[in-house]
Each structure stands twice: as C-alpha cells, then as structure tokens.
Amino acid sequence: MSISPRKITEAVLIGSVKVGGGAPIVVQSMTNTDTANIEATVKQVMELANAGSELVRITVNNEEAAKAVPEIRRQLDANGFTVPLVGDFHFNGHKLLEMYPECAEALGKFRINPGNVGKGSKRDAQFQQMIECAVKYDKPVRIGVNGGSLDQAVLTRLLDENRAKAEPQELAAITREAIIISALESAAAAESYGLARNKIILSCKISNVQELISIYQDLSNRCNYTLHLGLTEAGIGSKGIVASSAALSVLMQQGIGDTIRISLTPEPGTARTKEVVVAQEILQTMGFRAFTPMVIACPGCGRTTSDYFQKLAMDIQGYLREQMPAWRKQYKGVEEMEVAVMGCVVNGPGESKNANIGISLPGTGEIPVAPVYEDGEKTVTLKGDRIAEEFQVIVENYIKRTYSA
C-alpha cells in the first residue's frame, strides 16, 4: 500500500517551527506540572525538548500560572532551549491574556477550546477578545474542539435542524458534524476578527478511533487549515499507544495531518517523555521522519532461551536515544541508521547484513560467537563475556566514521 501525497495546508510559523505547508509532521507534547511551579515546569519542558518534542503545551489556568510563563520562557532561553511554548486556555483565557500581556508575549501559540470559552452571550465576546489578543501579539492560534467539551449551542442547533428533516440522522452523525462545524465556524469567526489564515491551526479530538478518523477525513475535505492530530484521552499503557497509532497512522497514510500529539495517561513512575517517544516511533516506523537510529531485534523463540540478546537490544536502544540530543548536532544523518541485534543464526546474519550495523548472537546450542556486520560485510567476530561492551564501542566508532560532518 502506498502513502497518499500529503495535503498541502496553510503554513503556520510557531517561533522557528514551521507547521503545515508541506513541512515535516511536527511532534508536540504537553507538561503535567503545575505551571506556577516554575522550576518543575522548566525541568519538564527541557526533558520533553531533549526527547525531541518540537512544541510543548503548558496549562495556563490561573493568575499564578500566567505570571510564571515569562520566567519559564526566560529560563528556557538561558539554558539554550528555544522550543516554543503553547498556552492552553480554558474558561478564563480572555481575562488572563488581558491582565498579563507578558504571558501573551512569551507564548509561541495560544490554544483555545470553543466549547470552554464562555456560555451564552459571553461566548462570542470572550472568543473575540482572545483572538484580538493573538492578532495584537502576532501569535498563531489552535482552535481545538474536543468531543468531551463540545460547544453545546452548536450541537443543540444541529439537533433542532435534524429533527425537522424528513429522514433525521443518528445522534453520532450529528455529533461528528457538530465537532467539525464548531471548528470551522470558530475559524471563520477568528478570520473576521483579523486573524490571518496562516495563523490558524484546527483540531477535532475525540476518544473513539473510528469516529476520529471519520471526523478528520471530513474536516480535511472541507478546509485548507493546518491540522493538529491527536486521539484525546487515549488511555494508559499499551491501550493508549495502540489506539493512537491506529487512528493517526490511518490519517497520515491518507496525507492528513501536520502536527501530532500522543495523549498517553502516564503510568506511575514513568517519564512524561514517553508520549514524545511514541509519536516519533509512529512517524519513523511509517517512514515519514527519522529521529533516532532504529534497532531491529527478533522476538525470540525456542532457539533463544537466553535473554542476553534481549538485554543487549534494550541497552543499545536506550543508549542510542540517550545520545541523540548531542548526536543530532554532531552527526548529520545518524537518525536514519539501522542497528540489528539478533538472537540466533536463522535470521541473524541476514538481518545484520541488511542493517547499517548488526550483530548475530549465538542461539541455544550454537557456537558461542557473535559475528558483526557493517554495511553488509562481516568485520569482526566477538566472543567471551564482554560482547555487549565491545559491540557498543563498535557502534560508536561506526557512527563517528560514517556520519561525521
């Protein structure tokens, strides 16, 4: 199956990061610290940026958070982190942006949820106030509609219209349409308030995979705005990873999407950076972008009763990702390298030859030696108790020799 050509949407510039307009799909993440805790937020933003997040969203939910944003930006800049910050506003964003102009200036983008801007007659005025602030400070805006906080006025209007039809549609279809209409009408309103089309990003998030795919297919056909993809409330662990991968991969395969976020519920004790790693791995596995050398490893079988090759594969993968913040600047193209760590002679030599560099470890009952292949040629055979350490040195030397500028 071939990948459909990317739909060329409006290009939006967020700081120095280009989104849409044919640019590579951008990885976004979000902090889960209290933004008012400047130290914790700066630390997590730096961790996310080091992991490869190109945009980082932060919660701006009260005055303390709004006051903290300029100092967060200052500390990030002082530490050499230029990653743009996206301010996530709900309910009171119009007040916070008016009260704290330094917050507005420090942010790279505003995120506005049309369902949480205001109720009744206040809704349009408060939305307009936020858009005019974005125009004043020349900031792009993501208009992010969520199924869980859908603008009820839009839904009610469509339900009333549906009831008057000779053949009414089902509630699920009306809800999908309400999500799309909320985004498109809000974007049109933003333009009427002076926000340029190349300052608008749309998202329509929902937690059901098939519904999400349907919504974005329809949205993409009905507009040319830059689109942010994400399965909201994706879940925890493998469920969240699989659901996000299934939904976003289908859409990107069809040429839809300019920036993505994987909304994983963090497992206790795990790093927030996991959502960045998953986003990168989806993009890299599908061939859209390369972020870090890929490790190819077999699943193991009755020939691989030792877990040595599994540990080596994990160690090498962790080591490569750990080194990437420095290597990205030092070794051009290293992120496209493939490393094979195989567990027996069945597929080991073949996969190792096909990778840039690979090792074929001995399976159960095989001769206790491990041939190493570089660019298809066997260069050395390792044996003894230090195979893992020796192979890591070989990988390091290969990178220095092959990818040095």
Side-chain angles (χ1 to χ4, degrees):
M1 181 182 294
S2 61
I3 297 173
S4 300
R6 287 274 306 286
K7 178 178 179 179
I8 304 301
T9 57
E10 289 281 351
V12 178
L13 197 62
I14 306 170
S16 61
V17 178
K18 182 182 177 183
V19 182
I25 298 170
V26 171
V27 173
Q28 179 170 313
S29 61
M30 185 175 185
T31 59
N32 61 354
T33 58
D34 179 355
T35 305
N37 185 335
I38 293 172
E39 181 181 357
T41 303
V42 168
K43 181 176 182 290
Q44 193 171 79
V45 171
M46 291 193 298
E47 289 171 351
L48 291 166
N50 271 332
S53 184
E54 294 156 307
L55 299 171
V56 177
R57 184 154 51 113
I58 59 176
T59 298
V60 186
N61 58 332
N62 53 39
E63 291 188 39
E64 290 73 21
K67 290 176 186 177
V69 170
E71 179 60 19
I72 292 169
R73 179 74 271 167
R74 189 196 69 76
Q75 291 192 23
L76 290 170
D77 290 340
N79 282 282
F81 287 83
T82 60
V83 59
L85 297 176
V86 180
D88 192 52
F89 294 99
H90 296 272
F91 310 113
N92 59 354
H94 60 293
K95 293 181 180 179
L96 296 176
L97 287 170
E98 181 180 8
M99 293 170 62
Y100 299 98
E102 298 87 355
C103 171
E105 290 177 337
L107 292 169
K109 183 179 75 171
F110 304 163
R111 189 274 185 156
I112 304 174
N113 182 339
N116 289 340
V117 171
K119 302 296 182 183
S121 59
K122 294 181 180 180
R123 189 267 184 199
D124 290 346
Q126 292 174 182
F127 180 78
Q128 179 176 355
Q129 187 176 342
M130 294 188 74
I131 296 299
E132 289 177 346
C133 181
V135 173
K136 178 180 179 180
Y137 294 104
D138 194 30
K139 304 294 181 180
V141 172
R142 172 159 72 93
I143 296 172
V145 180
N146 270 56
S149 52
L150 177 59
D151 188 337
Q152 293 303 300
V154 174
L155 180 60
T156 300
R157 186 183 85 215
L158 293 186
L159 287 171
D160 289 343
E161 293 173 358
N162 187 58
R163 277 191 288 269
K165 293 180 179 178
E167 296 183 7
Q169 293 179 292
E170 294 182 353
L171 177 60
I174 299 302
T175 302
R176 288 196 301 270
E177 179 67 7
I179 290 171
I180 295 169
I181 288 295
S182 178
L184 293 177
E185 289 185 350
S186 297
E191 287 194 59
S192 74
Y193 301 143
L195 191 65
R197 288 183 68 84
N198 66 355
K199 295 288 186 182
I200 297 174
I201 297 175
L202 297 187
S203 69
C204 291
K205 294 187 177 183
I206 198 165
S207 58
N208 181 282
V209 170
Q210 294 292 353
E211 294 286 295
L212 186 88
I213 292 170
S214 178
I215 286 169
Y216 270 100
Q217 288 170 334
D218 198 355
L219 179 64
S220 177
N221 286 331
R222 291 162 68 173
C223 75
N224 197 44
Y225 294 111
T226 297
L227 299 183
H228 169 78
L229 302 185
L231 183 77
T232 192
E233 291 96 36
I236 193 168
S238 60
K239 185 272 177 184
I241 294 172
V242 171
S244 295
S245 301
L248 272 58
S249 296
V250 169
L251 291 167
M252 292 187 294
Q253 184 82 7
Q254 297 174 357
I256 299 169
D258 302 291
T259 173
I260 67 171
R261 186 207 168 190
I262 308 302
S263 300
L264 295 181
T265 303
E267 296 179 48
T270 61
R272 186 67 167 179
T273 53
K274 187 169 185 178
E275 67 177 50
V276 179
V277 174
V278 172
Q280 290 180 331
E281 289 180 346
I282 292 171
L283 290 172
Q284 187 154 350
T285 300
M286 293 196 67
F288 291 114
R289 293 187 65 182
F291 297 95
T292 191
M294 291 284 283
V295 176
I296 300 162
C298 64
C301 66
R303 291 174 175 269
T304 57
T305 52
S306 168
D307 63 359
Y308 191 86
F309 87 95
Q310 299 162 340
K311 291 178 179 177
L312 178 56
M314 287 183 63
D315 289 346
I316 286 292
Q317 184 167 277
Y319 172 75
L320 294 172
R321 183 166 287 280
E322 185 180 283
Q323 299 303 313
M324 275 309 295
W327 283 356
R328 197 176 291 120
K329 302 171 186 176
Q330 192 173 0
Y331 301 120
K332 185 177 180 180
V334 67
E335 66 276 4
E336 297 178 359
M337 184 176 76
E338 289 188 350
V339 180
V341 179
M342 304 299 292
C344 79
V345 75
V346 173
N347 292 320
E351 289 286 0
S352 296
K353 289 177 183 177
N354 290 332
N356 295 102
I357 183 168
I359 185 169
S360 180
L361 293 159
T364 303
E366 295 175 16
I367 298 171
V369 296
V372 175
Y373 298 83
E374 299 181 34
D375 297 323
E377 300 293 331
K378 186 167 79 170
T379 56
V380 67
T381 298
L382 303 180
K383 59 183 70 176
D385 298 328
R386 294 183 52 80
I387 289 177
E389 294 89 338
E390 291 172 1
F391 182 62
Q392 181 170 307
V393 171
I394 292 171
V395 171
E396 291 173 352
N397 290 335
Y398 179 89
I399 290 170
K400 292 174 183 177
R401 187 172 65 251
T402 307
Y403 298 100
S404 290

